[in-house]
Amino acid sequence: ANPASSFDRKWMALQILKEFTTVFFAPMDKQTPKYAKQSKLWHAPHDFDLSFAFTPANTMVLIHGVIDSWDKTRQLACEILQLIPGQTLPGFETTDQVDKLMLWTRDLIASPRVKESDAGALLLRLLYQRYILGATWSIQFCDAVVAAECHGDSDPAIYFLWELVKMLQQQTQGSSRDLESASLHSLVHGVLLTLRYCMSETNFRNISASQQVADWRKLIATVLEILQKVAEIALWAIGD
């Protein structure tokens, strides 16, 4: 969809692409529309090449769709990116490519503009789904950005979330020292929204080892502790 197009045109183009992806590529589950389940096209053998739909260029078009001004367009573009077959995204198969995307996304969640911090949170959720939970990569991004194909025993999900918590701690401390300067950024909105998205994608039923349970409890306790500080800062600002 052309970025200069009206909302209706962008929405229609993205909706068509989503239906195309759902019918030909997405695995059938409870979320699959009834019409798609009844379609004879569902994963049916075909003799035409569908790779044109998932090129690096199209991936970039969808990623830029995630920073659209319209909430529904952003959400729909992100849903299509989640449906693209494979664990990694076309055009972002290497660690260097993911590093560049992560740098841009990190800037987005720190933006004072709500549409940009929301877009950053959606993209980080996408990276968490595909590269952390799916491909089991390890991504560091709080200070330096370093993506790596992880093959160790460490849990890449909790490592990723600890990076978010460290960002949250830094932003909270900055707000405590100088709220006016911190307001030039998103304060904690972008990071908190990302945490909420990523937590909702995490299957806590699969956490069984005692050490893993202890690590997750420590993470959640730290988040709750920071949230209390965030609430105190917000109440002070409102009541001042």
Side-chain angles (χ1 to χ4, degrees):
N2 190 319
S5 299
S6 65
F7 166 73
D8 290 334
R9 289 194 176 196
K10 285 186 282 189
W11 174 259
M12 181 182 68
L14 289 171
Q15 192 66 48
I16 291 171
L17 181 56
K18 182 185 177 183
E19 301 305 333
F20 171 86
T21 309
T22 300
V23 168
F24 283 100
F25 297 99
M28 192 178 297
D29 56 24
K30 293 181 180 178
Q31 304 300 321
T32 303
K34 184 177 180 180
Y35 73 85
K37 290 181 179 179
Q38 295 173 344
S39 173
K40 293 182 180 179
L41 292 175
W42 188 275
H43 289 245
H46 45 74
D47 57 0
F48 48 94
D49 185 10
L50 299 175
S51 61
F52 69 89
F54 305 114
T55 63
N58 285 348
T59 300
M60 284 306 303
V61 169
L62 289 168
I63 287 175
H64 284 290
V66 179
I67 60 170
D68 191 81
S69 299
W70 296 91
D71 292 352
K72 289 185 177 180
T73 304
R74 294 200 297 269
Q75 188 66 43
L76 186 54
C78 195
E79 288 175 6
I80 298 169
L81 286 167
Q82 291 168 0
L83 290 172
I84 292 177
Q87 292 181 331
T88 60
L89 292 169
F92 297 94
E93 294 94 350
T94 68
T95 54
D96 288 341
Q97 291 169 326
V98 174
D99 284 347
K100 292 177 182 178
L101 178 59
M102 194 71 216
L103 276 168
W104 180 58
T105 304
R106 189 180 65 176
D107 290 341
L108 284 175
I109 62 170
S111 171
R113 297 180 177 179
V114 174
K115 79 163 189 175
E116 292 181 356
S117 60
D118 285 357
L122 285 171
L123 287 172
L124 278 177
R125 181 177 68 175
L126 177 71
L127 290 168
Y128 182 73
Q129 288 173 318
R130 299 191 70 110
Y131 291 87
I132 304 299
L133 300 180
T136 62
W137 284 27
S138 172
I139 302 180
Q140 174 187 341
F141 57 90
C142 180
D143 298 314
V145 173
V146 181
E149 297 184 42
C150 182
H151 300 290
D153 297 330
S154 59
D155 184 353
I158 199 166
Y159 181 82
F160 184 89
L161 293 176
W162 270 117
E163 290 290 292
L164 285 172
V165 170
K166 285 192 284 186
M167 286 188 69
L168 189 59
Q169 287 174 324
Q170 291 176 358
Q171 292 182 357
T172 304
Q173 291 168 0
S175 300
S176 300
R177 290 192 300 267
D178 189 347
L179 186 59
E180 184 177 355
S181 296
S183 298
L184 298 176
H185 304 284
S186 73
L187 293 178
V188 296
H189 171 76
V191 180
L192 282 177
L193 188 58
T194 305
L195 271 170
R196 176 190 143 199
Y197 284 157
C198 292
M199 288 287 190
S200 67
E201 297 295 334
T202 305
N203 187 353
F204 291 99
R205 294 181 184 274
N206 290 339
I207 301 171
S208 56
S210 58
Q211 183 58 49
Q212 282 186 317
V213 172
D215 290 343
W216 280 101
R217 284 178 175 171
K218 182 179 178 181
L219 175 75
I220 293 171
T222 304
V223 171
L224 293 174
E225 187 179 321
I226 298 172
L227 284 176
Q228 185 175 356
K229 294 178 182 178
V230 170
E232 290 172 358
I233 293 170
L235 288 173
W236 174 83
I238 293 171
D240 188 23

